[in-house]
């Protein structure tokens, strides 16, 4: 009695599906997303496109390298409006904003213990020693 080739057929089916790749709908969706991401940042002067994950220092580098006559980087990219080239990660700006916010000091409450509370806790009242 011979056995079937079900396992071999299933493996071949999976292999063929992998080789076939994406469907037409998946390809259209992926290309639309790629087009959208590619045009996320566009230079106003040279119309150069940058991906969506580009950081502001890279955009600033484009402005200084490709357009040295431009004085304000905002003329190329809207996102560089508040960009500081001496502070590319924005750490100085965060520190300055934290420094200008006044910090309220917490008031400590004085604990007033009555004589009865001390006695119930097992403490005794001692007499002050007289100086000799």
């Amino acid at each position: 009695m011979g056995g079937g080739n079900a396992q071999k057929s299933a493996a071949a089916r999976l292999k063929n599906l992998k080789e076939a790749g994406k469907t037409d709908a998946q390809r259209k969706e992926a290309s639309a997303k790629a087009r959208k991401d590619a045009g996320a940042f566009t230079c106003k002067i040279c119309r150069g496109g940058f991906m969506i994950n580009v950081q502001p220092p890279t955009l600033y580098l484009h402005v200084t390298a490709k357009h040295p006559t431009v004085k304000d980087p905002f003329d190329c990219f809207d996102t560089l409006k508040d960009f500081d080239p001496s502070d590319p990660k924005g750490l100085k700006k965060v520190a300055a904003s934290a420094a200008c916010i006044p910090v309220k000091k917490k008031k400590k409450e004085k604990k007033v213990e009555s004589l009865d509370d001390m006695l119930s806790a097992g403490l005794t009242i001692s007499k002050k020693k007289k100086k000799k």
Side-chain angles (χ1 to χ4, degrees), residues 44 63 70-82:
K44 294 178 187 176
V63 173
V70 175
K71 294 181 181 178
D72 188 16
F74 181 69
D75 294 340
C76 286
F77 300 102
D78 294 333
T79 56
L80 293 179
K81 182 178 182 183
D82 296 326

Side-chain angles (χ1 to χ4, degrees), residues 46-81:
C46 66
R47 310 304 282 167
F50 292 87
M51 294 292 284
I52 192 134
N53 60 350
V54 72
Q55 299 295 318
T58 307
L59 297 176
Y60 183 77
L61 183 67
H62 166 81
V63 173
T64 56
K66 300 288 183 180
H67 314 294
T69 57
V70 175
K71 294 181 181 178
D72 188 16
F74 181 69
D75 294 340
C76 286
F77 300 102
D78 294 333
T79 56
L80 293 179
K81 182 178 182 183

Side-chain angles (χ1 to χ4, degrees), residues 113-127:
E113 294 185 22
S114 66
L115 184 60
D116 295 330
D117 291 337
M118 288 197 298
L119 288 173
S120 65
L123 301 174
T124 59
I125 301 175
S126 64
K127 294 182 181 178

